[in-house]
Amino acid sequence: MRTFAHGGATWGVVCPPSPGRIAGVTMAGFRVGDLDALRIVPHPAVTLLLEFGAGSPVVDGAAGRCRGSVVAGPGLGAAGAVRARGVDLECVQVRLSPVVARSVLGVSPAGLAGSVVPLEDLWGREVSRIRERLAEASSWDQRFALTEALLARRHGAGPPADPEVARAWHRIVAGRGLVRVDDLAAEVGWSRKRLWSRFGSQVGLPPKRAVRLVRFDHAAHRLVAGEGAARVAADTGYTDQSHLHRDVMAFTGTTPRAVAAEPFLAVDDLAWPGRGAADGARTPVREGLVRN
């Protein structure tokens, strides 16, 4: 386990020993003694939180409060409206590409609509059994193996995304959001109307919003890496620094300077090295790190 220190909080972070066998699925383990009102920064993935510790995470948002294991749609936390907190937390956090989320969850990400819901609302009593098995596991490697087996079983039984929708999503990610959305339909051989409808229903975001979110995610991680806002704006497709500022404010409710210090982003390099962000780019953690 490695330790990430930010302010007065210390997080233990564990990564699986090897990449998982399901494309579009990554995970990390967390142990946090005291999590105080962490701002959730929008991310281009569906987030699945499987908790099993002595404490219980609490997520506060505009739609209300959720406790325990939760699932969140892509882009959760717009305008800085969502906070997570808790004491003595232990969990496995899973990031699902939106194009595999429907098969794993059993519902389309469109049903989440950028919100967070209790996982029990989707999986019922199975959530309690998962919690017990994770708590009884003797190591993080066992917990990762249990989680991957669960996800693989559900993924194999669930409906896949349309190949055209998956292709459009991967095109957006590969382009780091620098994609003309009007060109996507032509690239996949569908009409614009059909792609927009199918993409929104299966990914949970309209294509234009997906492009903005992926571009923002790439820019935000470059800000965390210590790059200046003007350089980031120029390199990531914003018309100017003011355009970047407006987008960051819309997604997070704060400024580019403040976003650069957000622990939600800074811990990424530890939890998902080389594979966590939608674009695959990672940034160095700028807080204290200790390898245990």
Side-chain angles (χ1 to χ4, degrees):
M1 176 171 284
R2 301 176 71 188
T3 301
F4 170 72
H6 191 284
T10 300
W11 305 5
V13 185
V14 188
C15 297
S18 59
R21 64 180 185 269
I22 310 172
V25 176
T26 57
M27 66 184 77
F30 291 91
R31 179 178 292 144
V32 188
D34 189 359
L35 184 66
D36 183 20
L38 172 72
R39 184 197 306 269
I40 303 299
V41 177
H43 181 78
V46 173
T47 300
L48 182 62
L49 191 71
L50 302 173
E51 64 86 16
F52 58 89
S56 181
V58 178
V59 181
D60 292 311
R65 176 173 297 172
C66 290
R67 295 180 181 273
S69 295
V70 298
V71 59
L76 176 74
V82 180
R83 295 289 196 278
R85 55 186 173 83
V87 177
D88 295 331
L89 305 179
E90 288 185 287
C91 67
V92 175
Q93 182 177 332
V94 182
R95 286 180 173 174
L96 304 171
S97 165
V99 296
V100 303
R102 184 173 66 154
S103 61
V104 171
L105 297 177
V107 299
S108 169
L112 301 173
S115 63
V116 58
V117 300
L119 188 57
E120 287 185 349
D121 288 359
L122 304 185
W123 291 358
R125 295 180 180 178
E126 185 177 13
V127 176
S128 295
R129 294 192 292 270
I130 295 167
R131 189 184 195 283
E132 291 175 0
R133 295 187 67 190
L134 291 174
E136 291 169 355
S138 60
S139 69
W140 281 101
D141 285 354
Q142 286 189 7
R143 293 183 185 112
F144 292 137
L146 285 169
T147 302
E148 183 169 54
L150 163 71
L151 300 178
R153 173 174 59 80
R154 296 189 64 91
H155 180 255
D162 291 331
E164 293 83 359
V165 169
R167 181 179 172 185
W169 170 257
H170 293 309
R171 177 74 175 84
I172 292 170
V173 171
R176 295 179 173 178
L178 300 182
V179 178
R180 287 181 55 85
V181 293
D182 288 338
D183 294 340
L184 290 173
E187 291 184 22
V188 302
W190 276 1
S191 69
R192 184 183 188 278
K193 182 178 180 180
R194 184 179 186 189
L195 177 61
W196 261 233
S197 174
R198 302 289 284 180
F199 190 99
S201 67
Q202 295 182 23
V203 171
L205 298 168
K208 187 170 290 189
R209 178 71 174 179
V211 164
R212 282 189 62 203
L213 180 58
V214 169
R215 180 179 61 181
F216 158 78
D217 180 70
H218 178 54
H221 281 89
R222 290 185 60 167
L223 292 170
V224 172
E227 297 186 40
R231 174 65 180 274
V232 171
D235 288 351
T236 55
Y238 291 93
T239 55
D240 54 27
Q241 189 172 338
S242 294
H243 184 195
L244 171 66
H245 188 281
R246 291 193 301 271
D247 223 33
V248 170
M249 285 292 296
F251 276 113
T252 70
T254 191
T255 65
R257 182 185 294 272
V259 161
E262 287 291 341
F264 185 91
L265 296 171
V267 76
D268 266 13
D269 188 58
L270 222 61
W272 287 276
R275 52 204 160 107
D279 57 64
R282 298 270 35 94
T283 57
V285 175
R286 303 189 316 169
E287 299 289 335
L289 287 181
V290 179
R291 184 184 293 276
N292 291 338

